[in-house]
Structure formats: structure tokens, C-alpha cells
Amino acid sequence: MPLARPARAAVLLAAGSLLLAGCGDSKATATKAAVTLGNCGHEVRVEAAPQHAVSLNQGTTEILLSLGLADRLAGTATWTDPVMKGLAKANAKVPRISDNNPSFERVLDADPDFVAASFVSTLGKGGVATREQFEKLGVPTYVSPSDCAGKDNSGGGDGARAKALGIDTVYGEVRDLATVFGVQDRGDELVASLQRRMAKATRGVDASDVTLLYWFANSESPYMAGCCGAPGIITRALGAKNVFDDTHEEWPQINWETVAERDPDVLVIGDLTRKSQTAESAAKKIAFLESNPATRNMDAVKHRRYVLLSGQAMNPTIRTVEGVEKVAAGLREFGLVK
């Protein structure tokens, strides 16, 4: 099993001293070249800005690319969509070590000095490896605070949220990673840009009479958004209502008869390019909706009120802002905004 290069080993071992801390939004402090931050129940210390990092999920990768850090990435993994607009050239410079979860050994082959992920499950039992496995080798790890702040990941499925996620937690991840890599000014600029886009997308929008449903994937036992994850950010930003806001599960699997009973005004549909579930693409989802006896008479289906989003826009990432923009545009197009 390959380990870190000898020249880097002493630094990595020093960087791996992690202690338990409270779970919540990450808070970072910097001392000289080192950075220490509390992150999802861990205290992470990075002795120097990473030069050979691996990002294990697309959402985290797109933050790092947006911060201009392609030259500091040794690999990426787990993609649901084409890379975000404007990042293709930078992304092409970074090795993709796997389209899905890579093995622990494959990640170590990339010789990382820092490993980041969007989900607790990616760096947990049943995922790529646990954080402790990397830390024993002196490799600091980071998980998006959006996947742990106010969220219980101990049960099955995609977890449940005790409180609604806010977009500020996503901005906090941007600032954390910018601090770790020593590019704080870029992080501030990226957050300011996202805030401007949110303000523009929601200006003058009143969708208080509109009901939405978010379908991520799977036609046999579909994953629909509960109240409080990234779709909740989109819904609240527009003043609308999610027809399944009575569940705190992140992505509960709900039968089609129940979906038809809720009869939302608009269907927000995940348009994914991965192939791990049934009906990943929007085209396949729409074909199912328009042919299935339980769904074809729904109001949104009869009037083809569909808004298509990338999988990343439906997860808590910087592309959630893109989700707000596209859903707002769809509601205007359908004449549903006051």
C-alpha cells in the first residue's frame, strides 16, 4: 500500500494530530503557516498549504477549482454531472481517479497531503475510508460542514436534519478551504459573487402560493427532497413550499401514489449523467412521469411545468445558488411569480 513520499512524511505526520471537537459549522484560525479548524467533530491541523490534495466529491472539487487551485489537486472522484460552467479548462488539468467512490489504495496512490469530501459517508464506514485511516498516515481530512451541521447521519439513508440548512454554511465551506490553501482573498471574492447572484435571482420574487417537489433519482423508489437540505435553501429563498416539507429526512424514498396525492405545481427534476440509479437523466424522468398511470395526470405533468437542475445544484454546494437561479427563472416562465 503506497504511503506519502518520505520527503513529505514528517510534515504530514505533524499535520495529522486531530482531536474531537463539537460538530457544527467549521471555524478556522491560522497561526503563521499552520491552519487549525473545527470540522464535523474533528479538529484539523494543516501545517502548510496543501500542494497535492485529493477531493472525493464533485461539490468540493468545484469549490477548489473556483478558487483557482487546480494546480494543487492530485485527483478528484465521484461525479454526478459535467463540471460547472467556466471550470472545464481547469478541471481538465486534474486527474480523475474515479467517477464514483475510489478505493482507499487508489487515493493513497495519488500521494495526497490533504483529503476533502462533501459527505460524511464518503469519509466514513462503507465509504472510501474513515477519517481516522487517513489521519493515522498523517493526512489531514475535511468534510463539508453542510453535511453535519444540524444533521444526524447515524441512521440509514441520507440522514435527517433537526434544523434547516442555510446557505451561509456553504459559504463557510468556501472560506474554510480558502483558508486551508492560503487564498483567503479568493474565498471572500467567491462568496461575494455567490451572494450577489442570490440577491439578483430572488429580487422581486414572491412564490408564496407555489408548491414544489424535488426528484433527485430512481423511478422505482424515488428519492424526493425533505424539508431542510439544499432544496430547502432554494424553496425558502423564493418563498415557495415543498410538498414534502413535513419530513426532515434529507432524501426520503416516497411511493408514486403519495407523490400524486401531493400534486405539486412544479416538478424540480435532477438531470444527472451518472448511471448508478434508474431514471438518472431528466429525459428519462420526464418520460416516466408522462407514461406512469400514477403520475401522468398530475397538474405539473399535464402542463409540463418542469425545472431541470444538476445533481450538484440539489446538494448543498456552491451550485445551490444555480438552483435558486434556475427555479426562479422557471417560476417566472410559468407565470407563477407574483
Side-chain angles (χ1 to χ4, degrees):
M1 184 182 300
L3 302 179
R5 291 192 186 98
R8 193 185 300 146
V11 174
L12 291 177
L13 288 170
S17 58
L18 303 181
L19 305 173
L20 287 178
C23 182
D25 292 356
S26 302
K27 296 180 180 179
T29 58
T31 304
K32 296 182 180 179
V35 171
T36 301
L37 56 86
N39 172 243
C40 291
H42 289 251
E43 185 175 281
V44 183
R45 182 173 176 82
V46 179
E47 294 291 345
Q51 302 295 319
H52 217 244
V54 170
S55 172
L56 296 174
N57 294 107
Q58 183 175 350
T60 304
T61 299
E62 291 182 339
I63 292 175
L64 296 173
L65 294 175
S66 296
L67 292 171
L69 297 170
D71 61 336
R72 309 251 211 112
L73 285 171
T76 70
T78 318
W79 291 72
T80 60
D81 308 290
V83 70
M84 191 168 78
K85 185 178 179 181
L87 296 179
K89 187 175 181 180
N91 184 57
K93 300 176 183 177
V94 183
R96 184 176 297 191
I97 60 179
S98 176
D99 288 334
N100 299 303
N101 272 358
S103 66
F104 183 38
E105 291 78 8
R106 182 66 188 86
V107 177
L108 294 180
D109 282 344
D111 194 15
D113 57 4
F114 181 77
V115 172
S118 300
F119 304 107
V120 171
S121 60
T122 304
L123 286 174
K125 292 181 179 179
V128 174
T130 65
R131 297 183 75 166
E132 289 77 12
Q133 284 176 280
F134 281 109
E135 290 156 10
K136 285 179 181 178
L137 299 176
V139 181
T141 61
Y142 178 90
V143 173
S144 168
S146 296
D147 201 46
C148 65
K151 188 180 178 193
D152 180 4
N153 291 297
S154 63
D158 295 292
R161 294 187 185 273
K163 61 179 182 179
L165 178 68
I167 192 65
D168 283 346
T169 306
V170 176
Y171 298 156
E173 179 180 5
V174 173
R175 291 192 173 104
D176 276 356
L177 291 172
T179 300
V180 165
F181 282 83
V183 292
Q184 293 93 327
D185 288 349
R186 298 182 199 174
D188 290 341
E189 290 170 6
L190 179 55
V191 169
S193 172
L194 294 169
Q195 290 172 328
R196 288 192 296 270
R197 288 172 56 191
M198 281 285 285
K200 181 179 179 181
T202 58
R203 190 175 298 125
V205 174
D206 179 1
S208 54
D209 293 332
V210 180
T211 55
L212 306 172
L213 179 147
Y214 298 82
W215 178 17
F216 192 85
N218 199 310
S219 58
E220 297 164 354
S221 187
Y223 290 91
M224 304 295 183
C227 68
C228 299
I233 293 175
I234 298 170
T235 304
R236 291 191 305 277
L238 302 174
K241 178 181 174 62
N242 175 358
V243 293
F244 288 114
D245 68 0
D246 54 348
T247 176
H248 285 253
E249 290 181 59
E250 190 86 334
W251 289 103
Q253 290 182 277
I254 298 171
N255 65 63
W256 287 115
E257 288 72 23
T258 301
V259 170
E261 287 172 4
R262 300 289 174 102
D263 200 20
D265 296 315
V266 176
L267 293 169
V268 184
I269 294 174
D271 191 13
L272 284 60
T273 56
R274 69 176 191 183
K275 298 178 181 178
S276 62
Q277 301 275 342
T278 56
E280 296 279 43
S281 70
K284 288 185 177 179
K285 288 182 174 72
I286 291 169
F288 175 89
L289 290 166
E290 294 180 353
S291 62
N292 185 277
T295 59
R296 64 190 180 196
N297 290 317
M298 291 169 59
D299 191 63
V301 175
K302 288 192 293 185
H303 294 91
R304 296 182 62 84
R305 289 196 292 265
Y306 308 129
V307 176
L308 311 188
L309 295 186
S310 67
Q312 292 307 307
M314 299 172 84
N315 281 322
T317 70
I318 56 175
R319 289 177 77 172
T320 301
V321 174
E322 172 189 306
V324 174
E325 292 169 332
K326 290 191 174 183
V327 175
L331 298 186
R332 289 189 181 97
E333 180 183 341
F334 302 143
L336 296 175
V337 175
K338 294 180 182 177

